[in-house]
Amino acid sequence: ATPRTYENQGGLFETLKQIDIKNNQIINVRQRRDTAYQELLKMAKDIGKEKQFVHHAGVIQSLLGYREHPKYMIVVMIDRMRRQALNIAQDFVAHGRLESVDQIFYLNIDQVTEAQRNPDLDLLALVKAGVEPIQKVSHVKNWPVLIDSRGKIIRGIREETEAADGTLLGDPISPGLVRGRAKVLMSPYEKPLESGEILVTRFTEPSWTPLFINAAGVVLEVGGPTQHGAIIAREYGIPCVSGLDDATKLIKDGDFLEVDGSEGTVKIITEETEGGVRNGDKK
């Protein structure tokens, strides 16, 4: 039911306009990759394995991307089904059976199929029944990290969330040390993320990926090493700290941060010039 990026092309365009085409994470990671390749190539030459290294590196670089293809096809198929559901919903809306096309996502497949056969089926009543369980938990702002098979809520509360000097403690996800201004976002397109700013949010998913091109660092409330934001941060070589409870409340837009992705710490710095590190610079 989640709106797709192609349905909000204006928001995507605004994000793309913020990208510094001369200095961004895609360029930086390409430079680091090339440097690493040359270092490994030299090591291979030193042990007489240059030809084997070049061959296997070429195979990996050419074929590794195919591991993503099955997931890509799943995404494509789900989108096709979503479009079909919306087409059906438009017909229901046209005949006064639904008030908006998005209401179809509160129905299950059997109900939609029956509604196509039976024009007298009360869809709004079914929608109301589908919405009811969601409304019962609409007041929950922060869902528990874990719920076991018996329904027991497990809240992994960190024993220490703040060091004596005020440093915020999280989990080290992607190594590196960087300083920059914070930009707190609850959705990917609510406001621009400028080049060199540090992205602070609860968690991310694929629609957030374009923002990482500008991000100098990432701070997440939820997620471990395999969370989407963590994986993208490591791919781009961006320092990232996760598991920092209430980060979006403790950190405000414009706060000057030091993010240590190796130690899992975040400092809110009052003096921007401390240490001589500029916004978005890495130590």
Side-chain angles (χ1 to χ4, degrees), residues 56-78:
H56 290 297
V59 170
I60 291 171
Q61 291 175 348
S62 299
L63 301 180
L64 192 60
Y66 285 108
R67 67 187 292 271
E68 297 293 326
H69 189 69
K71 183 167 62 176
Y72 165 74
M73 292 308 301
I74 290 172
V75 172
V76 170
M77 288 188 290
I78 291 174

Side-chain angles (χ1 to χ4, degrees), residues 136-258:
K136 286 182 178 179
V137 295
S138 61
H139 64 286
V140 179
K141 302 303 179 184
N142 295 327
W143 286 89
V145 177
L146 293 173
I147 302 177
D148 70 12
S149 59
R150 296 163 294 178
K152 180 180 179 181
I153 293 176
I154 302 172
R155 296 190 180 274
I157 300 176
R158 192 181 299 276
E159 291 184 0
E160 294 183 355
T161 59
E162 187 174 327
D165 62 354
T167 299
L168 304 176
L169 306 178
D171 299 319
I173 296 296
S174 180
L177 182 68
V178 69
R179 288 182 176 180
R181 293 289 180 186
K183 180 61 65 71
V184 182
L185 297 176
M186 302 307 291
S187 63
Y189 302 126
E190 65 175 283
K191 50 193 170 185
L193 181 74
E194 304 287 348
S195 179
E197 290 184 322
I198 293 173
L199 172 62
V200 181
T201 187
R202 278 190 50 74
F203 60 90
T204 69
E205 36 82 14
S207 66
W208 290 71
T209 303
L211 277 70
F212 283 73
I213 297 174
N214 273 354
V218 180
V219 178
L220 303 169
E221 291 186 355
V222 179
T226 58
Q227 201 255 37
H228 171 268
I231 293 172
I232 300 300
R234 288 195 298 274
E235 287 182 352
Y236 285 0
I238 306 171
C240 176
V241 174
S242 186
L244 208 164
D245 295 334
D246 293 329
T248 55
K249 297 177 182 177
L250 298 172
I251 300 171
K252 309 299 182 186
D253 269 2
D255 282 350
F256 198 71
L257 305 181
E258 179 180 274

Side-chain angles (χ1 to χ4, degrees), residues 260-280:
D260 190 336
S262 303
E263 296 294 330
T265 61
V266 177
K267 293 181 182 179
I268 302 176
I269 301 174
T270 55
E271 193 61 49
E272 177 177 331
T273 57
E274 181 182 339
V277 181
R278 300 187 306 275
N279 187 33

Side-chain angles (χ1 to χ4, degrees), residues 13-28:
F13 182 65
E14 290 300 319
T15 299
L16 294 177
K17 287 198 301 184
Q18 303 302 320
I19 296 174
D20 185 345
I21 61 174
K22 296 182 180 180
N23 180 27
N24 59 66
Q25 297 301 343
I26 292 179
I27 294 174
N28 296 339

